[in-house]
């Protein structure tokens, strides 16, 4: 029991930092209380609640009553002091960003009551700018060489369009996407499930430091928060909300990446998935998304860019294909060309019978084919021209 | 100029056989004339037309006038004698099947005026029975080992459901599908672009003989017809119409298999496509179908069977996946389990703070976790149970 907190809890910055410690991600009761009272007065309310006093709240809680909500927040009041966490983030060159500030990525607001109360950030660029044109490339930690290659191709391929690559900093697809982005000096944004006092996983520390040095690493939990498994699922909603589109590069039948896709779909953001061999279990989740969830089949960077940008501004080009012998021919012309023997020549009557067309049409078609250099006439016989280089 | 034909041209069987020689596939004027007058009287009409007499036809031609249509058929009257072709097919153990007969696959009628006038068949089983439950597995001749393997897996995988595999007898995917079907004694149906006097391509002669020996090989063109390139495109509509569903296993950006898919879609038959590596040009057409044409992403035989059979009768089973540690846990139980340290134990208050939940909920969750063997209590501390074998 305490009557006051060791910091100025009516300071909005300190109060929101405190709430990011008290409430787990997606605690809609906390978001609603803070929205109704303000972050500082909501702390006041909690102090009262801890002593068994429940000042009136002008809105009902999402479920149950405000007392049970207070009961899950109050145990964390012990030792609460967000000034320490702000010091930690500042020492690492980072800062706390509040909703409504210039650096706040507005896409997060689409989460409604599941939006984070604040954002802890370490980065060279602000998250709002980074997220403005961005795509999440996510996938399994248990990735294959194929998946990592495709992730890298896509991440590098969207860079000419200055699209930020958002991912979760995990091993596998996430790391491949981040690494490829950095390799071409592209903008990178990593979203952590735990606090930014240290990066997770440990083996990607160096990579995430580089992401922070050119783009940004963000988290909703304060420094000192361990990346528990349930926090990864909550973290995925931030990836989905920060990015304009989400692409699952490689995911097994059950994979956390599918939850990111699901959250993106719930936000009406475009969701793409990269196909792979049906013989690869690592692609089963991506295929499932395409087959059952309406995810768009994405096969190259141009198609990724198309998801991010308004239709028409980034139409992928049709791959260059060698022109075929029948290109530009109408049906009758193609049929007459087909009717000519592969070797040697054929008289006009034979071509007519072989093509199964009337004489006038055959004559017209032969004329066109001759003009376009596809057939030649020698003596009374029509023959195919030598294949052009 | 001739006044009569060397055979009984008012015999419907002979007359239709004759028309399959006179008219190219998808000659809607021929189909319409035969439908309006009957096959024999239509030959009568053509004999008159050849002499410059045009008896009235009760329907207009699809385009132009009946004279131009006659001009493309008449050149083939020279030497016309379907009795020869019926002899050839009989010698090979085959027969001519007419629309409306018991052996006629009714799916062909969905082609309307593009339906074939008759069907030349060599086979142990009749096409109607074979086509009743069937799927077309089609794809590139320039297939990869991956594509051939998947074609074989799918062809063999649908056999327990007695689904006929329909294909075009070509090298590559077609051959892989036929071969795999035969390997498990499944019903096979091959559709040729040329006449059945010899099989095309030559290198698949043995394979197609085996298809005929257990299933059937069919063509709309009479024996002696060369498989010209345009006839392959027309042939594809027969594959699409014979099969209840069409699946493109592997197809490049431009591939004849895409035309089969397009014809199937035009007939409102289900179209599936098998994804592959995005790095493989051989799968680009299949991805294009999924991405742009609404083809269903198909990854295994159960999903192919689902296309063929009414929804609900062949629901694919979810692949077996190893049960995870968090399976069957609700959100709060999972969160409490997550809140326990990986090693060592935690007192109740620490679990409450770590989980960010109220004490009552934590106690309930710990109770469930203990009962289900996931956590143990030792002294005052809760700890994770050893991972179960």
């Amino acid at each position: 029991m305490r009557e006051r907190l060791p910091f100025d809890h009516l300071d909005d910055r300190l109060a929101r930092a405190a709430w990011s410690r008290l409430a787990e991600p997606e605690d809609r009761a906390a978001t609603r209380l803070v929205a109704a009272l303000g972050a500082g007065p909501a702390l006041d309310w909690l102090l009262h609640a801890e002593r068994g006093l429940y000042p009136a709240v002008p809105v009902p809680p999402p479920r149950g009553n405000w007392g049970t909500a207070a009961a899950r927040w109050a145990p964390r009041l012990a030792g609460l002091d967000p000034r320490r966490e702000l010091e930690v983030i500042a020492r690492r060159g980072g800062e706390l960003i509040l909703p409504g500030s210039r650096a706040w990525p507005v896409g997060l607001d689409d989460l409604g009551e599941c939006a984070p109360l604040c954002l802890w950030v370490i980065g060279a660029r602000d998250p709002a700018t980074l997220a403005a044109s961005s795509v999440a490339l996510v996938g399994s930690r248990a990735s294959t060489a194929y998946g990592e290659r495709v992730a890298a191709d896509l991440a590098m391929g969207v860079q000419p369009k200055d699209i930020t690559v958002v991912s979760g900093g995990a091993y596998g697809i996430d790391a491949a996407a981040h690494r490829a982005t950095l390799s071409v000096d592209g903008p990178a944004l990593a979203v952590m499930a735990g606090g930014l006092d240290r990066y997770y996983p440990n083996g990607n520390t160096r990579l995430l430091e580089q992401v922070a040095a050119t783009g940004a690493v963000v988290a909703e939990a304060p420094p000192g928060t361990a990346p528990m498994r349930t926090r990864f699922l909550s973290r995925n909603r931030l990836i989905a909300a920060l990015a304009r589109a989400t692409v699952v590069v490689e995911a097994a039948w059950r994979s956390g990446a599918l939850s990111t896709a699901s959250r993106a779909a719930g936000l009406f953001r475009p969701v793409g998935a990269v196909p792979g061999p049906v013989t690869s279990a690592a692609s089963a989740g991506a295929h499932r998304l395409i087959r059952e969830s309406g995810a768009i089949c994405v096969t190259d960077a141009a198609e990724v860019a198309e998801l991010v940008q308004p239709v028409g501004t980034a139409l992928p080009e049709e791959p260059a294909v060698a022109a075929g012998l029948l290109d530009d021919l109408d049906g009758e012309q193609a049929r007459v060309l087909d009717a000519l023997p592969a070797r040697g020549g054929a008289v006009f009557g034979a071509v007519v019978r072989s093509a199964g067309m009337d004489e006038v049409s055959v004559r017209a078609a032969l004329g066109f084919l001759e003009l376009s250099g596809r057939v030649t006439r020698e003596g009374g016989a029509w023959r195919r021209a030598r294949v052009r280089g």
Side-chain angles (χ1 to χ4, degrees), chain A:
Chain A
M1 301 299 150
R2 74 219 85 221
E3 302 226 351
R4 54 191 307 277
L5 293 162
F7 59 94
D8 176 8
H9 73 270
L10 291 179
D11 177 277
D12 191 49
R13 175 170 223 81
L14 290 172
R16 282 193 174 261
W19 275 109
S20 78
R21 161 75 68 207
L22 295 174
E24 284 294 305
E26 299 191 80
D27 186 330
R28 293 170 58 219
T31 332
R32 192 175 291 188
L33 189 72
V34 167
L37 306 179
L43 283 177
D44 249 349
W45 181 91
L46 182 57
L47 286 172
H48 282 85
E50 198 191 16
R51 295 199 302 274
L53 308 166
Y54 294 93
V57 178
V59 290
R63 55 177 188 146
N65 57 60
W66 287 112
T68 57
R72 69 175 172 264
W73 303 324
R76 288 183 176 171
L77 284 170
L80 181 71
D81 191 348
R83 292 174 301 183
R84 273 201 318 267
E85 287 136 12
L86 284 165
E87 270 167 38
V88 171
I89 199 81
R91 259 203 311 276
R92 302 206 63 183
E95 60 180 325
L96 182 71
I97 293 178
L98 303 188
S101 72
R102 195 193 50 74
W104 181 260
V106 290
L108 292 177
D109 299 334
D110 293 345
L111 290 166
E113 286 189 336
C114 289
L117 291 158
C118 58
L119 210 54
W120 301 83
V121 181
I122 303 177
R125 298 177 65 184
D126 72 84
T129 307
L130 286 167
S133 175
S134 57
V135 66
L137 296 181
V138 298
S140 292
R141 282 168 298 170
S143 54
T144 68
Y146 163 75
E148 289 165 26
R149 175 184 162 182
V150 173
D153 283 350
L154 298 181
M156 291 188 289
V158 297
Q159 290 320 320
K161 302 185 188 293
D162 203 36
I163 294 172
T164 299
V165 173
V166 184
S167 200
Y171 293 127
I173 297 301
D174 288 18
H178 286 312
R179 197 166 281 123
T181 305
L182 295 173
S183 76
V184 291
D185 295 322
L189 180 57
V191 187
M192 299 283 101
L196 300 187
D197 50 314
R198 59 194 177 87
Y199 293 135
Y200 182 90
N202 211 25
N204 282 348
T205 299
R206 187 67 184 267
L207 175 63
L208 289 162
E209 285 171 353
Q210 292 172 328
V211 169
T214 55
V217 180
V218 305
E220 65 181 311
T225 309
M228 300 196 302
R229 195 175 340 202
T230 50
R231 288 212 182 92
F232 283 102
L233 289 176
S234 293
R235 183 276 312 268
N236 290 345
R237 85 190 192 287
L238 300 185
I239 294 177
L242 283 165
R244 306 269 301 202
T246 291
V247 172
V248 176
V249 175
E250 200 172 49
W253 187 260
R254 291 181 183 185
S255 163
L258 301 185
S259 86
T260 312
S262 165
R263 299 304 290 251
L267 294 167
F268 299 106
R269 305 284 167 88
V271 175
V274 177
V278 297
T279 46
S280 165
S283 284
H287 293 150
R288 182 185 182 184
L289 281 177
I290 293 170
R291 181 177 158 77
E292 297 175 11
S293 309
I296 296 162
C297 176
V298 164
T299 66
D300 62 23
E303 292 173 358
V304 171
E306 200 187 356
L307 290 184
V308 175
Q309 296 174 342
V311 172
T313 61
L315 282 182
E317 288 170 28
E318 185 171 319
V321 174
L325 191 62
L326 296 183
D327 287 357
D328 312 321
L329 298 186
D330 68 23
E332 293 196 333
Q333 292 156 355
R335 185 184 285 185
V336 168
L337 185 60
D338 261 2
L340 290 176
R343 286 187 197 77
V347 296
F348 181 72
V351 179
V352 169
R353 279 190 298 280
S354 175
M357 290 162 49
D358 65 88
E359 297 189 357
V360 175
S361 302
V362 171
R363 196 166 286 124
L366 283 171
F368 177 88
L369 292 168
E370 188 177 17
L371 281 172
S372 64
R374 288 176 170 93
V375 307
T376 58
R377 189 168 16 175
E378 293 172 25
W382 294 87
R383 61 177 69 231
R384 291 164 185 261
R386 295 285 165 82
V387 176
R388 295 161 296 166

